Amino acid sequence: MYPAAAQGAAQITTGVSCALDTVTAAREFYEAVNRPNLDTVLFFCSPQYDLGQLSAELNLLFGDVHLVGCTTAGEITPRGYIEGSITGVGFSAPDFSAVSEVIGDLKDLSIATVREVVQSAITRLDRKAPDRAPGTTFAFLMIDGMSQQEEQVASSVFNALGDIPLLGGSAGDDLSYVASYVFQNGKFHSASAALLLVHTKHPFKIFKTEHFSSTGKKMVVTAAGSDRRVEELNAVPAAREYARVIGLPKEELNPLVFAAHPLVVRVGGEYHVRSIQRVNEDDSLSFLCAIDEGIVLTVAESGDIVQDLENQFKKLQASLNNVQVVIGCDCILRRLEMERKEVKSAISEILLGNKVIGFSTYGEQYHSMHVNQTFTAVAIGLEPD
């Protein structure tokens, strides 16, 4: 166990346990974040744990404390990047009030259902914090990363939230791509999303960053399925055309290559990454987000990921004094790129120095959009005098 980092008169606590035993990990995590008047705990855990056992132990330890979380593809902790741990942040009353809801059965998602769930969460939060004013609440959304429903969920939730800003990430399973889970109402759920609304007296800022620029090499999606599979680019089997455009043999395509040569789409005057998950036997490409026929994809080139992140946090520190914690959603393909470039330890130090707690994701949510290969986060500062 590592000691908790407590800030703001212990209104915010953070902690991590790397214990291999599930029960031990739950107990060490509890000891790290537990404080008087604890209202809510947001946690991120390795899928290597026995999730049934972890759920039971966390419920027993925390009792009436509100718990919400998800499984990961790696954790961002008070000790930097770690894999195989449980980490998270605790919010204490009276400075924080939070509620959560689960959105289930994502395969049969309806906009009406999402609106009902979001409105239920807002109503419950207003009862819990009757003095809640505009600009004092943010929404954190965790979605089963294997559901392939992130676009619809993020867009529907965002539209139902009104003036409440939204960020979040897709739950992972250590790159196994088999099963990922969100935790809400005392248990882990698949094919679901967990929506957390946090009201606070503290100032906060939501932001995102990516480190890519367009190369001008474009491809048109000429055949695509409904399961995020692109069959053809420029009327050629997708994997073959992608490999040709980036100048590599198709046989060398792998997640490290995808991280180094991402594809971007221009939306609203900005480029957003559309990450490739894998090459299929029929030379189609499966993506981590929805891709429609007719979309123009541009090959992007990676900039300096270390410098980009340093610059982002300098801007953050200039705009939000006394940052107490940053809750971050960091795409797993960013971590793979860091490992390939041998800068993971440098990035880990930046995250540690800026008090980041979070997880490696299968995609990120930022306002109404589901994006890839991006770092999205909310930074929370001290209450102004």
Side-chain angles (χ1 to χ4, degrees):
M1 178 187 69
Y2 299 111
Q7 302 94 19
Q11 295 299 311
I12 302 173
T13 56
T14 62
V16 59
S17 172
C18 299
L20 298 178
D21 176 72
T22 300
V23 172
T24 302
R27 291 175 179 174
E28 290 185 349
F29 176 65
Y30 169 77
E31 291 171 5
V33 300
N34 187 43
R35 292 294 184 277
N37 301 317
L38 192 63
D39 179 90
T40 295
V41 171
L42 172 62
F43 72 88
F44 312 104
C45 69
S46 167
Q48 298 173 24
Y49 290 123
D50 181 320
L51 297 184
Q53 195 175 42
L54 182 64
S55 174
E57 193 66 20
L58 290 176
N59 289 331
L60 177 65
L61 291 166
F62 284 101
D64 293 335
V65 174
H66 177 217
L67 294 173
V68 63
C70 69
T71 59
T72 76
E75 300 80 53
I76 306 172
T77 80
R79 296 288 175 175
Y81 277 119
I82 295 178
E83 296 168 42
S85 70
I86 177 170
T87 192
V89 55
F91 300 109
S92 294
D95 286 13
F96 292 90
S97 299
V99 300
S100 67
E101 294 277 358
V102 66
I103 305 171
D105 301 321
L106 295 187
K107 295 295 184 182
D108 296 317
L109 183 72
S110 74
I111 295 176
T113 297
V114 172
R115 285 176 179 166
E116 290 176 5
V117 171
V118 173
Q119 189 55 56
S120 173
I122 293 174
T123 300
R124 289 175 54 220
L125 185 62
D126 285 338
R127 290 176 185 152
K128 192 172 181 179
D131 60 342
R132 188 175 70 89
T136 63
T137 305
F138 65 87
F140 191 84
L141 180 65
M142 292 162 285
I143 309 175
D144 175 0
M146 298 305 298
S147 69
Q148 298 191 351
Q149 299 298 312
E150 289 99 329
E151 288 86 3
Q152 295 90 329
V153 175
S155 176
S156 299
V157 170
F158 177 80
N159 289 331
L161 282 170
D163 61 355
I164 299 175
L166 173 70
L167 80 154
S170 301
D173 67 346
D174 285 346
L175 289 175
S176 296
Y177 294 118
V178 175
S180 55
Y181 300 89
V182 300
F183 183 94
Q184 196 273 343
N185 196 26
K187 62 182 180 180
F188 286 95
H189 307 262
S190 63
S192 301
L195 174 66
L196 174 68
L197 300 185
V198 180
H199 163 65
T200 179
K201 298 177 180 179
H202 295 249
F204 62 83
K205 181 178 178 63
I206 288 176
F207 64 95
K208 76 175 180 73
T209 187
E210 57 271 309
H211 58 292
F212 299 101
S213 59
S214 170
T215 64
K217 299 176 181 177
K218 300 182 183 297
M219 295 173 286
V220 178
V221 178
T222 49
S226 59
D227 56 353
R228 295 183 171 178
R229 181 176 298 200
V230 173
E231 297 157 358
E232 292 183 358
L233 292 168
N234 297 337
V236 175
R240 297 184 199 173
E241 183 66 357
Y242 171 72
R244 183 192 70 80
V245 171
I246 66 173
L248 289 176
K250 189 204 75 174
E251 292 71 24
E252 293 185 11
L253 297 182
N254 59 49
L256 291 177
V257 172
F258 304 149
H261 304 278
L263 299 174
V264 297
V265 61
R266 193 170 180 86
V267 178
E270 294 184 359
Y271 282 108
H272 299 278
V273 179
R274 295 292 181 257
S275 294
I276 301 170
Q277 180 188 45
R278 65 176 179 268
V279 177
N280 301 305
E281 292 183 359
D282 61 356
D283 284 346
S284 64
L285 293 172
S286 288
F287 282 72
L288 288 170
C289 54
I291 302 288
D292 297 324
E293 289 184 12
I295 292 293
V296 177
L297 296 172
T298 304
V299 178
E301 59 184 359
S302 175
D304 188 331
I305 190 172
V306 177
Q307 190 63 54
D308 175 77
L309 202 58
E310 286 182 339
N311 291 341
Q312 182 62 52
F313 279 112
K314 285 179 182 177
K315 293 177 183 177
L316 175 66
Q317 296 290 349
S319 63
L320 187 65
N321 291 328
N322 298 315
V323 173
Q324 301 304 296
V325 71
V326 177
I327 304 171
C329 304
D330 194 32
C331 186
I332 181 59
L333 291 180
R334 284 171 55 90
R335 199 187 77 200
L336 293 178
E337 180 183 353
M338 296 169 203
E339 292 172 351
R340 181 179 64 85
K341 293 181 175 179
E342 299 182 346
V343 296
K344 182 180 175 182
S345 60
I347 295 290
S348 190
E349 286 297 318
I350 294 172
L351 298 176
L352 178 60
N354 287 278
K355 304 174 184 176
V356 180
I357 297 292
F359 71 112
S360 295
T361 74
Y362 281 175
E364 304 75 56
Q365 285 74 56
Y366 186 74
H367 297 324
S368 65
M369 294 193 65
H370 173 61
V371 294
N372 299 132
Q373 221 153 335
T374 301
F375 179 79
T376 64
V378 56
I380 303 173
L382 274 178
E383 183 180 2
D385 292 333

